[in-house]
Amino acid sequence: MPAPIRLRELIRTIRTARTQAEEREMIQKECAAIRSSFREEDNTYRCRNVAKLLYMHMLGYPAHFGQLECLKLIASQKFTDKRIGYLGAMLLLDERQDVHLLMTNCIKNDLNHSTQYVQGLALCTLGCMGSSEMCRDLAGEVEKLLKTSNSYLRKKAALCAVHVIRKVPELMEMFLPATKNLLSEKNHGECELVPQLVRILKNLIMSGYSPEHDVSGISDPFLQVRILRLLRILGKSDDDSSEAMNDILAQVATNTETSKNVGNAILYETVLTIMDIKSESGLRVLAINILGRFLLNNDKNIRYVALTSLLKTVQTDHNAVQRHRSTIVDCLKDLDVSIKRRAMELSFALVNGNNIRGMMKELLYFLDSCDPEFKADCASGVFLAAEKYAPSKRWHIDTIMRVLTTAGSYVRDDSVPNLIQLITNSVEMHAYTVQRLYKALLDDISQQPLVQVASWCIGEYGDLLVSGQCEEEEPIQVTEDEVLDVLEGLLVSNLSAAVTRGYSLTAIMKLSTRFSGVNRIKKVVSIYGSSIDVELQQRAVEYNALFKKYDHMRANPNPNVAVITIHASNSTEADMTDFVFQAAVPKVSRPNPAQIIKCLCFEVLIHGFGLRMRIKLTYTLKGSPVQDLAEVNNFPPQSWQ
Amino acid sequence: MQFMLLFSRQGKLRLQKWYVPLSDKEKKKITRELVQTVLARKPKMCSFLEWRDLKVVYKRYASLYFCCAIEHQDNELITLEIIHRYVELLDKYFGSVCELDIIFNFEKAYFILDEFLLGGEPQETSKKTVLKAIEQADLLQENVDFQMRLFAGVMVPNMVSESSGLFQN
């Protein structure tokens, strides 16, 4: 049997394959050869074969038949075999397979081997992929190695121990004494614990220019970062420790050279540490200022981590972060998507009563130009911020209009009822609002949320529209027919969603109590009585009924006619059937003349104290009946006074 | 660090080091998705991205992407330094390293990585010490097979990118 081909030879051959199929063929051929070689228990070439298998595994081909062979290699006495064997184990085995437990004994032996490189291999493998069972079995050996005088092994043992503790936290006790001893060690490979750490860190920054450890003139940045990280963990919930670190943290923060990434990496770790421990406020401000400086850095990576960190601290250190607001807002214009997103989130977090106008200008500009993936979140954010901090109602309405017209199709569905509520409450702005919405509709009827809100408003305040009562801006001249044209246009347009059509039909209906041209409306409504859309049909039929039964109410244009519309929607995924809405009001007989308000379908009695209504909802959801009782008594006074 | 991947601009995997236990299937899925995501990034974008619930740090050296997945509390900037240090080690070892070196000597690349990182953390911060350890370990190997660097006759056209040094741009 000829010797199996060498690894590099195989690699070269496979790379000459011109198609995937050709490659697969070569691989299969070689795998077959390797399999028979394994079957023959060939010790000489096992190593070479496993190495080839590992290459093929990296290309994506199955290699599990090599797992046991790796174990045999690990057990071999040749260093080469062990090297490839352990590599194979790390690549092909994982702790979910029982096979890996067979390694335990080999690793145990190798941990006690006379050659440090063999011990090193064992430690490395255990520290990389040791399962909890293996770790439990071998913890003792690792602990022994922590105490060896060989620094090469000690540092490996330390990191291996970290892995062991992560896998089996109960074993931590076992490692503590050995760890304490590691501290007084000059070798840079290991470290731990507060005042001693502080001292070590100090030494690192002040003295010791050690060329082999340094990166761009900064002594051993990896170690510095590690120490800082450790300080972070130790100081997290401990006041005393935190205090002990304050000075050194301030020192690192101010003395570290920032021209290269490595210096910034240390500063960043320092900031993270300061934020996590119980540091004094001066130190925190220092940290935030470092982040602020990061924001101005040319390196986008640094800007990115700065924004991320600021986002985490904006709640707790709000004022300090506010100082960097303008820089953050500038980041909205950055090219990188992740930076933009963070800048947006941070900007919203920074909005308050004082800066609302300026911030909103920037954010609306951002809304105009940003990618679609941001628009929904940005729109919601704008609405929330506007609701909290609007300096005036007019400004609020204008802002909403701006969002609806520029990002109308991205606005979330639940914003529509919220906006309607908002508009309802801004009584003095009704005329202005309906006018602006009407004008927007004339321009563009494709953005559904905009159209829905506009329809509702026109239905509600259409009388203000045609009477030209707007004070805020030049009132437009529009006739009832023109308004109805627009609303009917929505009903027939292909751009309108079903929900939108519902809104416009209801609006048309409502106008029947406000406009004089009732016949036209009656006609429209009766047409839709036979609409294919079930929702529309139902509405139209009910409205028709209203025309017939309650026309007498229409006879006197009675200012006391209050229209109460309820919006009920099913937001569950199941169907809801047999929905019944009942309303009842207390009948109170008083000597004062009670005014009777008749509205859409119910008679409601009011008395001097206000309008109270008891409602009862019943419906069937997922087959089971549901009943809901409630009392409504927060009708706005304008509706009944 | 949870894992490190090295892959070419065509998405071919050159090295994969996993520090968390995952099934082969999961590893393949993660690799495929992450490689696609990173390759889709434009050159102007920053080296960090959020992917699933991890932070990913990547950097391109000539034709090779070095990609690390770290956890939330880890420092991205120092991870970039870790990547750079690894490339420096490779460069010192192979002498002006290029992708081809890593393709044909992948096991060496692993050995070097395992001398530098253990369990995902840097175990030795001195370049010299790491390289010395590798050198000694190499001497221990008796088998002549795994020595070599590449010789010119083996190169096939179209590998210009793979033979350009990692430190060139």
Side-chain angles (χ1 to χ4, degrees):
Chain A
M1 160 111 190
I5 68 171
R6 293 163 182 262
L7 171 64
R8 318 250 181 260
E9 184 74 36
L10 177 69
I11 298 178
R12 192 163 43 90
T13 314
I14 292 180
R15 282 168 63 78
T16 61
R18 270 159 300 171
T19 64
Q20 187 75 1
E22 215 180 313
E23 184 184 277
R24 215 175 310 139
E25 214 182 294
M26 291 178 185
I27 301 258
Q28 274 171 352
K29 194 163 143 230
E30 185 57 35
C31 276
I34 293 180
R35 274 193 158 105
S36 37
S37 185
F38 283 164
R39 266 198 297 271
E40 288 170 20
E41 298 282 338
D42 185 330
N43 287 337
T44 333
Y45 295 113
R46 183 176 290 125
C47 182
R48 187 186 288 184
N49 284 328
V50 169
K52 286 187 285 186
L53 204 53
L54 293 179
Y55 177 72
M56 295 190 283
H57 177 250
M58 183 146 65
L59 290 179
Y61 296 92
H64 39 265
F65 60 90
Q67 284 168 1
L68 279 173
E69 303 301 314
C70 292
L71 293 175
K72 292 182 197 160
L73 282 175
I74 294 175
S76 153
Q77 282 315 305
K78 285 182 16 193
F79 184 63
T80 319
D81 283 356
K82 283 191 190 284
R83 244 185 165 182
I84 295 289
Y86 277 118
L87 179 60
M90 286 194 272
L91 287 175
L92 298 180
L93 294 174
D94 74 72
E95 62 177 52
R96 289 132 189 257
Q97 296 152 344
D98 292 329
V99 173
H100 84 280
L101 285 170
L102 296 171
M103 268 201 293
T104 315
N105 217 29
C106 286
I107 295 189
K108 187 170 190 165
N109 291 335
D110 283 341
L111 283 173
N112 292 311
H113 203 275
S114 47
T115 314
Q116 68 176 15
Y117 296 106
V118 174
Q119 289 172 294
L121 281 177
L123 281 169
C124 181
T125 308
L126 184 60
C128 173
M129 59 165 295
S131 64
S132 13
E133 296 98 329
M134 277 171 76
C135 288
R136 240 183 272 265
D137 286 338
L138 298 169
E141 306 298 324
V142 177
E143 201 257 342
K144 245 192 320 189
L145 286 171
L146 268 178
K147 300 193 257 202
T148 173
S149 51
N150 181 331
S151 60
Y152 173 79
L153 286 177
R154 246 199 336 265
K155 64 175 191 234
K156 287 191 193 275
L159 283 173
C160 189
V162 169
H163 177 87
V164 167
I165 296 176
R166 279 212 193 109
K167 282 290 188 185
V168 191
E170 307 90 69
L171 289 174
M172 181 145 60
E173 294 297 313
M174 179 198 271
F175 289 100
L176 277 179
T179 325
K180 292 215 172 97
N181 291 335
L182 286 175
L183 267 184
S184 40
E185 181 46 51
K186 294 234 167 69
N187 185 299
H188 287 217
E190 344 90 13
C191 60
E192 284 94 72
L193 281 182
V194 189
Q196 279 168 305
L197 281 178
V198 170
R199 228 180 301 133
I200 297 173
L201 191 54
K202 204 164 188 151
N203 286 335
L204 268 180
I205 349 175
M206 298 329 246
S207 59
Y209 174 67
S210 155
E212 53 186 62
H213 290 113
D214 103 333
V215 179
S216 308
I218 296 189
S219 38
D220 211 338
F222 299 113
L223 183 55
Q224 285 196 43
V225 167
R226 206 79 90 56
I227 296 180
L228 285 165
R229 175 71 176 276
L230 210 32
L231 287 175
R232 192 184 346 163
I233 298 174
L234 292 168
K236 201 156 188 165
S237 357
D238 192 299
D239 284 323
D240 291 331
S241 304
S242 302
E243 213 186 298
M245 315 175 192
N246 267 320
D247 281 343
I248 190 67
L249 288 174
Q251 216 171 9
V252 176
T254 38
N255 286 340
T256 308
E257 174 69 46
T258 59
S259 53
K260 294 261 176 72
N261 179 59
V262 64
N264 287 319
I266 296 177
L267 274 182
Y268 179 46
E269 191 69 38
T270 314
V271 168
L272 290 175
T273 302
I274 293 176
M275 287 306 158
D276 257 2
I277 65 172
K278 301 201 181 278
S279 48
E280 50 178 39
S281 62
L283 202 52
R284 292 181 82 90
V285 172
L286 178 59
I288 294 191
N289 288 343
I290 293 178
L291 292 176
R293 275 208 308 275
F294 274 4
L295 281 179
L296 300 167
N297 197 307
N298 285 331
D299 186 340
K300 50 185 156 0
N301 293 332
I302 300 199
R303 292 205 296 275
Y304 177 91
V305 303
L307 284 170
T308 312
S309 308
L310 283 170
L311 200 51
K312 284 193 224 157
T313 66
V314 72
Q315 301 305 333
T316 45
D317 296 274
H318 193 94
N319 292 332
V321 181
Q322 277 284 2
R323 262 180 251 142
H324 303 280
R325 196 180 62 243
S326 50
T327 329
I328 293 171
V329 167
D330 279 338
C331 289
L332 284 171
K333 308 194 182 91
D334 204 296
L335 291 165
D336 184 305
V337 162
S338 329
I339 291 183
K340 275 205 273 226
R341 176 166 283 281
R342 271 164 182 60
M344 180 182 84
E345 287 171 18
L346 203 44
S347 300
F348 279 123
L350 289 175
V351 171
N352 63 25
N354 292 330
N355 57 36
I356 178 80
R357 282 188 198 262
M359 287 295 274
M360 201 50 84
K361 224 193 328 209
E362 297 286 345
L363 287 165
L364 285 172
Y365 179 72
F366 176 67
L367 183 62
D368 276 342
S369 51
C370 68
D371 299 327
E373 59 186 286
F374 289 121
K375 295 216 189 211
D377 289 330
C378 190
S380 302
V382 169
F383 285 148
L384 264 169
E387 208 173 303
K388 270 200 262 187
Y389 302 111
S392 75
K393 294 238 156 120
R394 160 87 190 256
W395 182 93
H396 198 167
I397 302 280
D398 281 340
T399 307
I400 293 177
M401 287 297 306
R402 177 83 182 270
V403 175
L404 286 177
T405 46
T406 53
S409 19
Y410 298 98
V411 165
R412 297 218 167 81
D413 290 335
D414 58 359
S415 320
V416 174
N418 290 341
L419 288 176
I420 290 179
Q421 171 108 18
L422 200 64
I423 294 173
T424 316
N425 291 338
S426 327
V427 177
E428 63 276 19
M429 304 298 303
H430 285 167
Y432 173 68
T433 311
V434 69
Q435 179 160 302
R436 285 213 57 189
L437 284 168
Y438 178 76
K439 284 203 271 196
L441 271 190
L442 292 176
D443 271 335
D444 171 21
I445 59 169
S446 63
Q447 308 198 77
Q448 300 306 295
L450 172 62
V451 175
Q452 288 165 15
V453 175
S455 309
W456 187 90
C457 280
I458 295 176
E460 199 68 21
Y461 312 119
D463 48 328
L464 297 175
L465 186 59
V466 292
S467 60
Q469 284 184 25
C470 183
E471 285 167 7
E472 299 282 342
E473 63 174 23
E474 184 70 33
I476 58 172
Q477 309 296 332
V478 63
T479 66
E480 292 183 1
D481 275 322
E482 284 170 331
V483 174
L484 288 172
D485 282 340
V486 170
L487 286 175
E488 281 185 50
L490 293 174
L491 276 175
V492 300
S493 165
N494 284 332
L495 295 168
S496 300
V499 174
T500 312
R501 280 187 241 257
Y503 270 94
S504 51
L505 187 60
T506 307
I508 293 177
M509 182 60 197
K510 285 200 235 172
L511 288 175
S512 68
T513 60
R514 292 163 173 72
F515 282 3
S516 49
V518 177
N519 286 326
R520 174 171 176 181
I521 296 178
K522 260 198 213 172
K523 228 193 303 188
V524 173
V525 169
S526 64
I527 292 175
Y528 279 88
S530 38
S531 161
I532 308 177
D533 184 327
V534 174
E535 173 72 30
L536 280 183
Q537 194 194 97
Q538 178 155 7
R539 286 188 195 219
V541 165
E542 283 172 12
Y543 295 156
N544 259 327
L546 275 178
F547 274 122
K548 299 201 178 85
K549 283 198 215 164
Y550 294 95
D551 231 17
H552 60 280
M553 282 204 286
R554 198 182 312 288
N556 21 342
N558 193 342
N560 292 332
V561 173
V563 179
I564 302 175
T565 323
I566 59 151
H567 288 272
S569 63
N570 176 8
S571 55
T572 69
E573 281 170 358
D575 284 328
M576 226 188 240
T577 56
D578 312 318
F579 182 83
V580 176
F581 178 87
Q582 293 170 304
V585 289
K587 222 170 182 169
V588 177
S589 57
R590 302 186 104 249
N592 290 344
Q595 284 178 300
I596 297 180
I597 289 187
K598 296 196 175 160
C599 57
L600 273 182
C601 308
F602 345 102
E603 276 198 20
V604 177
L605 256 175
I606 60 160
H607 49 81
F609 294 133
L611 185 56
R612 274 171 59 204
M613 186 194 279
R614 205 172 280 152
I615 61 174
K616 177 173 167 184
L617 296 171
T618 56
Y619 53 89
T620 314
L621 179 64
K622 289 189 198 168
S624 31
V626 182
Q627 180 177 291
D628 228 326
L629 289 165
E631 182 165 309
V632 184
N633 51 17
N634 56 352
F635 288 94
Q638 306 93 283
S639 64
W640 49 266
Q641 269 168 354
Chain B
M1 195 184 296
Q2 292 215 351
F3 57 85
M4 182 191 282
L5 302 173
L6 266 69
F7 50 90
S8 71
R9 270 194 294 205
Q10 288 77 38
K12 293 207 124 176
L13 199 58
R14 299 299 179 205
L15 186 146
Q16 50 175 333
K17 187 73 187 179
W18 299 84
Y19 294 106
V20 286
L22 288 167
S23 73
D24 228 17
K25 203 163 137 206
E26 285 168 325
K27 287 183 194 170
K28 281 215 172 98
K29 182 156 183 264
I30 290 176
T31 307
R32 202 176 37 236
E33 282 179 25
L34 191 52
V35 167
Q36 250 177 348
T37 311
V38 172
L39 288 176
R41 302 272 287 182
K42 308 197 191 66
K44 287 274 187 247
M45 299 177 108
C46 69
S47 298
F48 314 131
L49 59 107
E50 311 238 294
W51 184 80
R52 298 204 183 177
D53 58 343
L54 295 168
K55 297 203 271 199
V56 170
V57 179
Y58 72 93
K59 187 144 183 214
R60 204 186 111 214
Y61 287 85
S63 59
L64 261 187
Y65 282 88
F66 287 70
C67 186
C68 297
I70 58 176
E71 288 161 7
H72 275 284
Q73 61 274 28
D74 291 335
N75 182 331
E76 297 98 317
L77 298 177
I78 206 74
T79 309
L80 273 179
E81 291 301 318
I82 290 178
I83 293 178
H84 193 80
R85 176 56 68 91
Y86 180 45
V87 175
E88 284 179 325
L89 289 169
L90 290 171
D91 193 55
K92 240 346 192 319
Y93 182 81
F94 288 107
S96 203
V97 68
C98 63
E99 193 187 341
L100 275 177
D101 290 318
I102 301 188
I103 294 172
F104 279 89
N105 300 283
F106 68 93
E107 83 281 7
K108 291 274 168 61
Y110 275 107
F111 296 153
I112 296 173
L113 185 61
D114 285 339
E115 268 313 310
F116 174 44
L117 299 179
L118 198 152
E121 308 279 338
Q123 56 180 286
E124 178 53 63
T125 53
S126 154
K127 267 188 281 197
K128 215 158 86 178
T129 314
V130 175
L131 290 168
K132 188 137 177 280
I134 299 275
E135 213 179 303
Q136 304 273 32
D138 282 350
L139 284 175
L140 270 185
Q141 278 192 196
E142 306 124 327
N143 196 333
V144 182
D145 263 340
F146 298 135
Q147 292 294 355
M148 298 335 297
R149 295 224 23 241
L150 206 49
F151 32 89
V154 169
M155 282 204 243
V156 178
N158 257 355
M159 284 206 262
V160 175
S161 63
E162 288 171 347
S163 58
S164 60
L166 289 188
F167 279 124
Q168 296 164 12
N169 268 327

